Amino acid sequence: APEPATLVIFGVTGDLAKRKLLPAVFGLWQDGLLGTAFNILGVGRQDMTDEQFREFALDALRTSKETDEIQEGSLEKFASLLFYTFGDFADIGIYERIKRELDEAESAHGGRKNAVFYLSTPPSLFEPISTGLGSAGLADETEGWRRLIIEKPFGRDLQSALDLNATIHAHWQETQVYRIDHYLGKETVQNIMAIRFGNAIFEPIWNRTYVDHVQITAAEDLGLEGRAGYYEEAGVVRDMLQNHLMQLFALTAMETPVAFDAGAIRDEKVKVLRATRPITEDAAVRGQYAAGTVSGEQVVGYRDEPNVKPGSKTPTYVAVKLEIDNWRWSGVPFYLRSGKHLPKKVTEIAVVFQRPPLGLFPGGAERNVLAFRIQPDEGVSLKFSSKTPGQEDLLREVVMDFRYDAFGAQLESPYSRLLLDAMLGDATLFPREDEVERAWELVAHILNMDVEPQPYTSGTWGPDAADDLLGHDRRWRRL
Ligand code: BG6
């Protein structure tokens, strides 16, 4: 059974907590995965009583699309586990109050001092909160475990990430720190490792001898969604490339870990990131959406979005070429792209194999493709050539398709998996400090926000220049 514990959520009245975290915790709790000695302490700046917070939380659960089916009487019982405290995060008083609340919960938990502190706040608060908790003695693990979950973005460049790590480590050991990248909580992302290392047929061809190149796409049809304040400072390189895409890349390119545990897997991810060359200006294309039509709807250009600076150069699209200097991948480019207001939402990793050495059949020979469909229509497919029925020896590309539907199970929210892992002390699916720092190094040259991005019409696949990145013999997959 899970150990007694308290989950402390900072920024609990924020959007993420409301839409994702509370429903995820509720689902885990209702499934009995959090045990009976469990409490949630919400922390915010807003003045609220415990009672008002319970109402707030129940309302969030009733309205979120991510809430599991609610069992009879379950909401009321869940509500009784919730407490709230508020104040200024820069003031030591709030940490003293949190400590008192924890003491109370923990005596009811048989004296075990287990707590996870989830920082679901703007990044400027990561430092004051982790320091405040530490100074109040709340990182101390002598009578239980204390863990810190930190939302993204983790820094805005290498230096700020180094500084943030140093500040955190003044009070917290690295083993206590869980940096969230919600892509790692996705079932289909974990399946990259399962397919690669749980089968014998893929790994032998997963290298420069057989692979021509790899394409990783994270396309979104959504635009800014009213997040100008954040996005103007971040842009797509910080919002998607440095974290989510780099993680997909590392899982696809890494060597076989010696064990399936946090240390071994993260070691391999760091190793391949170290072997990867920092992206140069000429290996990157940045774009920004102009007005257009997405999914049948007219949308304005990025610069005309509310609260975007006139003439903003914030990129909303990026495509890059990664080169890896190691034995397995030397000479095999990995192309990564992500953008807002593209034609549809689709995330995919495609391993594109080399053509057969001889084109024996009319029309030449196509490249086989193994594609991991991360979302939606989750699955894995293999594209290869087959003879078309008839007198002629004509080949056509066909697809062998595995769909997650086959399991007949609903895919869980990535947040439930990650929250549970943190409660269980499993850091496998959380990027370690050296990974995050190396990922910043890789994008360092393309972080400059003063470069004019290339406009692309909303609802298209990004600027034309992204095609040139692949050279004349390769093409982005049509998704
Ligand atoms: C977030 C980004 O981390 O990931 C958003 O801040 C983006 O801009 C989102 O839309 C995409 O996540 P998902 O799970 O919908 O692919």
Side-chain angles (χ1 to χ4, degrees), residues 152 182-183 186 220 227 239-240 244 340 345 375:
K152 62 161 277 207
H182 80 278
Y183 268 54
K186 292 181 193 276
E220 296 187 90
R227 297 161 78 213
D239 188 47
M240 295 291 292
H244 306 322
K340 298 258 185 219
K345 167 104 183 165
Q375 59 188 17

Side-chain angles (χ1 to χ4, degrees), residues 235-310:
V236 65
V237 177
R238 292 183 173 89
D239 188 47
M240 295 291 292
L241 179 65
Q242 185 271 346
N243 38 63
H244 306 322
L245 271 87
M246 281 297 171
Q247 287 295 325
L248 298 180
F249 161 68
L251 290 173
T252 310
M254 73 184 193
E255 296 297 316
T256 317
V258 291
F260 202 77
D261 63 34
I265 290 174
R266 300 195 294 181
D267 284 348
E268 294 308 334
K269 280 161 62 190
V270 177
K271 260 166 62 186
V272 76
L273 293 174
R274 288 224 180 95
T276 306
R277 295 185 206 164
I279 304 160
T280 53
E281 279 286 343
D282 57 351
V285 174
R286 273 158 294 179
Q288 187 187 64
Y289 62 78
T293 310
V294 187
S295 317
E297 276 191 40
Q298 287 279 105
V299 301
V300 300
Y302 182 78
R303 289 179 184 179
D304 294 322
E305 294 273 17
N307 302 319
V308 166
K309 287 187 284 297

Side-chain angles (χ1 to χ4, degrees), residues 26-292:
F26 172 73
L28 290 171
W29 172 80
Q30 193 174 242
D31 290 343
L33 294 169
L34 299 178
T36 43
F38 174 74
N39 289 102
I40 296 179
L41 175 61
V43 187
R45 275 181 286 204
Q46 217 169 304
D47 180 345
M48 264 197 294
T49 61
D50 287 345
E51 238 355 277
Q52 286 168 322
F53 173 57
R54 287 174 184 159
E55 267 318 304
F56 166 87
L58 293 195
D59 188 55
L61 294 179
R62 288 194 200 100
T63 49
S64 171
K65 282 184 297 226
E66 308 218 356
T67 307
D68 288 355
E69 204 177 307
I70 301 170
Q71 291 156 18
E72 177 82 36
S74 178
L75 278 186
E76 295 66 29
K77 227 162 131 198
F78 185 70
S80 71
L81 310 175
L82 309 183
F83 299 91
Y84 183 77
T85 191
F86 63 93
D88 177 357
F89 294 157
D91 170 20
I92 187 75
I94 195 168
Y95 304 100
E96 296 298 339
R97 284 198 294 286
I98 292 172
K99 195 171 177 181
R100 281 200 297 277
E101 296 270 359
L102 278 177
D103 278 343
E104 222 169 285
E106 286 160 354
S107 27
H109 292 173
R112 284 297 289 167
K113 292 188 167 301
N114 297 335
V116 171
F117 301 94
Y118 196 124
L119 276 47
S120 171
T121 65
S124 59
L125 296 172
F126 296 164
E127 298 206 353
I129 297 175
S130 59
T131 305
L133 289 169
S135 309
L138 288 166
D140 184 282
E141 292 200 297
T142 37
E143 294 172 84
W145 42 256
R146 302 292 200 196
R147 297 176 188 141
L148 192 63
I149 305 185
I150 304 188
E151 258 301 327
K152 62 161 277 207
F154 196 90
R156 54 175 287 106
D157 54 18
L158 176 62
Q159 193 53 50
S160 53
L162 286 166
D163 293 346
L164 180 54
N165 275 326
T167 305
I168 291 171
H169 289 318
H171 296 281
W172 303 82
Q173 304 290 323
E174 177 62 15
T175 50
Q176 294 176 279
V177 183
Y178 294 72
R179 296 170 191 80
I180 287 259
D181 185 310
H182 80 278
Y183 268 54
L184 294 179
K186 292 181 193 276
E187 196 64 59
T188 45
V189 171
Q190 292 153 39
N191 200 27
I192 300 168
M193 287 190 281
I195 298 264
R196 283 192 60 193
F197 307 130
N199 295 289
I201 60 172
F202 298 117
E203 220 28 44
I205 54 171
W206 212 260
N207 56 49
R208 64 189 306 278
T209 316
Y210 298 99
V211 177
D212 180 78
H213 71 281
V214 177
Q215 296 186 17
I216 303 182
T217 301
E220 296 187 90
D221 50 349
L222 292 181
L224 250 200
E225 301 290 295
R227 297 161 78 213
Y230 157 73
Y231 201 85
E232 272 282 274
E233 293 299 315
V236 65
V237 177
R238 292 183 173 89
D239 188 47
M240 295 291 292
L241 179 65
Q242 185 271 346
N243 38 63
H244 306 322
L245 271 87
M246 281 297 171
Q247 287 295 325
L248 298 180
F249 161 68
L251 290 173
T252 310
M254 73 184 193
E255 296 297 316
T256 317
V258 291
F260 202 77
D261 63 34
I265 290 174
R266 300 195 294 181
D267 284 348
E268 294 308 334
K269 280 161 62 190
V270 177
K271 260 166 62 186
V272 76
L273 293 174
R274 288 224 180 95
T276 306
R277 295 185 206 164
I279 304 160
T280 53
E281 279 286 343
D282 57 351
V285 174
R286 273 158 294 179
Q288 187 187 64
Y289 62 78

Side-chain angles (χ1 to χ4, degrees), residues 328-403:
R328 184 189 287 262
W329 293 121
S330 179
V332 179
F334 279 61
Y335 301 102
L336 278 50
R337 61 176 168 164
S338 180
K340 298 258 185 219
H341 272 343
L342 300 186
K344 58 161 113 157
K345 167 104 183 165
V346 52
T347 308
E348 188 210 68
I349 300 167
V351 181
V352 183
F353 292 91
Q354 293 172 15
R355 291 181 208 284
L358 287 178
L360 286 181
F361 299 95
E366 294 296 334
R367 295 183 174 115
N368 303 143
V369 180
L370 181 68
F372 293 82
R373 178 82 164 204
I374 304 298
Q375 59 188 17
D377 306 326
E378 292 79 2
V380 182
S381 69
L382 180 65
K383 193 167 82 173
F384 57 96
S385 296
S386 164
K387 183 178 175 308
T388 342
Q391 306 305 328
E392 287 168 293
D393 287 319
L394 279 184
L395 297 194
R396 209 179 77 189
E397 292 189 285
V398 294
V399 176
M400 239 162 40
D401 220 357
F402 153 67
R403 296 288 201 103

